[in-house]
Every structure is written in structure tokens, then in C-alpha cells.
Amino acid sequence: MGAVGALAIAAIGVGAYAIGRQGAARPGMIRVDAAATRQITPNTVSFTVGILARGADAAKALHHDGQRVALLIKELHAIGVPLAGVQTVNISVNPEYANGGGIADYTATNQVTVTLHRLSLASRAISTSFTVGGNGVQFTGPTFSITGDRAIYAQVRVQAVRNAKDKAIELAQGAGGSVGAVIAISEQENAPAPSYPLYFNHAFNSAKALPNVPVSAGTQQISVSVSVSFALG
């Protein structure tokens, strides 16, 4: 399988069609629906890491948390993650209450989303996140996606139109007619179904528990559906 994976393009003849003649001044028309699909290896992976820290007051909790997140970003960059691939998505500070009802301390959380276009970095990046976060880490992901490869969608789109024409020819011949020029085309791209991420909370994970995290991207299906109207000869 290459960078975009092995592919089987499938013609899906979802058939709504109409064949008709409406007077001598207007030629007949045939409309067909068709689709094409392709299995692709995702080229992008993302996950979200939340680092938790406690402090006697809100400022101290936020300061300690900020130091750990800065270390996380530094360590991720050191293994090849670009700084543009790390984005802060949430910062919060909340009081923790003692049994008697008073405030015992404060918990700060800083969450960053890491986006990688080199899937080979995913395993090390996830392991690094747990190494830095330890038992104070919240992890959501990974989520795989296909980005930036419009050429693949173009190929699938062309195949969908070819499938539509082949189907129109079969239908027209069955009715004793022939297919002429294209009158109208509409299309719909169907993005891959989202992969459902895993969630680990801070009470479960530690750097020692997950020293090396295996990551497999698998494949995702993209599809293009078209509706094409042809003149009917």
C-alpha cells in the first residue's frame, strides 16, 4: 500500500433515473445517480493533551501548570513536532473543596491539541505527552483524517462521472435510445466517517504505564456521489 493506500474504486449505482420525451421541440433526457469510492491511508493525526497541576491558590496552580505545558511543547518540538502543530484549546482554574466545605487548593488545566502530518511521529509524540504529564495528564485521541490531497478527490470525482455515463448508456440502450451530451451535473463529496477517539483520565495513566504507544492509521473511505443529466437520442 502506498502513501495513500491501495484502492478499489467501486461503482455504486444508486438509481434514480428518468427517461422521457416532452414534445418535438424538446429532446428527451435521462438522469442517473452514481458514485465512486476509494480507500485511503490517512495522512493526518491529531490528539488533545490536558496537563493538570495543583496549587495553594489559583495563581500558583496556573503557574505550575504553565511550566509543565511549556515543557511538553519543548519536548514535542525536540522530537520533530512543529510549533505550528501545537494549539492551546482550553485553560481553566477551579477550586478543590475540603470535606468541611472550605477551599483546600486549586487545580489548573491547560489543554493543547497536537496535529501531525507525519504519522511516523504519532507514537513518540503520544509517549512524550505521558512522560511529561505523568499522572496529571488527560488524553483524548487519536483522530485520523485525510487533508490536502485534492488530487485524490479529483480522481474519484472523474470516476463517479464515468460510472454515471456507463449507467446512462445501459439504461438508454435498454429503452432503445442513445446517450447524448451532458445537460447538468451535481455532486456531493462524502468525507470519511470520523474515527472515535479514546479518552484516558488522569487517574489511570502514567508515563510508566504507557512507555511506548503503538499507533495504526488503518484506512478511511472517501466517496463522491454525482447526479448527471444527459440528452437522450
Side-chain angles (χ1 to χ4, degrees):
M1 184 178 296
V4 293
L7 182 67
I9 293 191
I12 304 176
V14 183
Y17 65 91
I19 301 176
R21 296 182 180 275
Q22 300 179 10
R26 187 173 180 182
M29 183 182 74
I30 179 172
R31 183 180 72 84
V32 296
D33 296 335
T37 65
R38 181 172 290 194
Q39 292 294 129
I40 303 294
T41 299
N43 58 11
T44 301
V45 59
S46 62
F47 57 87
T48 299
V49 181
I51 303 294
L52 284 72
R54 295 180 182 275
D57 56 45
K60 289 180 180 178
L62 192 60
H63 176 70
H64 294 158
D65 198 46
Q67 288 182 318
R68 296 179 67 187
V69 172
L71 177 61
L72 171 62
I73 295 172
K74 177 182 177 181
E75 293 298 324
L76 288 173
H77 185 57
I79 66 170
V81 178
L83 295 177
V86 182
Q87 182 180 50
T88 301
V89 294
N90 181 59
I91 298 175
S92 63
V93 181
N94 296 290
E96 296 288 337
Y97 293 93
N99 291 334
I103 296 177
D105 55 21
Y106 289 80
T107 299
T109 304
N110 190 320
Q111 292 180 313
V112 297
T113 294
V114 180
T115 301
L116 304 172
H117 299 291
R118 290 172 53 194
L119 268 62
S120 59
L121 288 176
S123 180
R124 291 185 64 191
I126 293 173
S127 296
T128 297
S129 300
F130 283 107
T131 299
V132 174
N135 286 330
V137 67
Q138 290 179 324
F139 181 88
T140 306
T143 299
F144 295 96
S145 59
I146 301 168
T147 60
D149 207 336
R150 301 306 302 170
I152 297 298
Y153 276 97
Q155 293 171 17
V156 178
R157 188 179 295 112
V158 169
Q159 186 62 49
V161 174
R162 289 174 178 168
N163 293 340
K165 185 174 182 180
D166 289 344
K167 183 180 178 183
I169 291 172
E170 292 174 0
L171 292 170
Q173 289 178 344
S178 61
V179 171
V182 173
I183 297 174
I185 301 177
S186 63
E187 62 114 2
Q188 178 181 352
E189 287 185 6
N190 300 309
S195 54
Y196 295 96
L198 301 175
Y199 174 77
F200 300 98
N201 63 38
H202 66 280
F204 178 80
N205 292 290
S206 69
K208 292 182 179 180
L210 294 173
N212 188 19
V213 181
V215 176
S216 177
T219 62
Q220 291 181 330
Q221 178 176 285
I222 62 173
S223 66
V224 174
S225 301
V226 296
S227 179
V228 186
S229 297
F230 298 91
L232 183 63

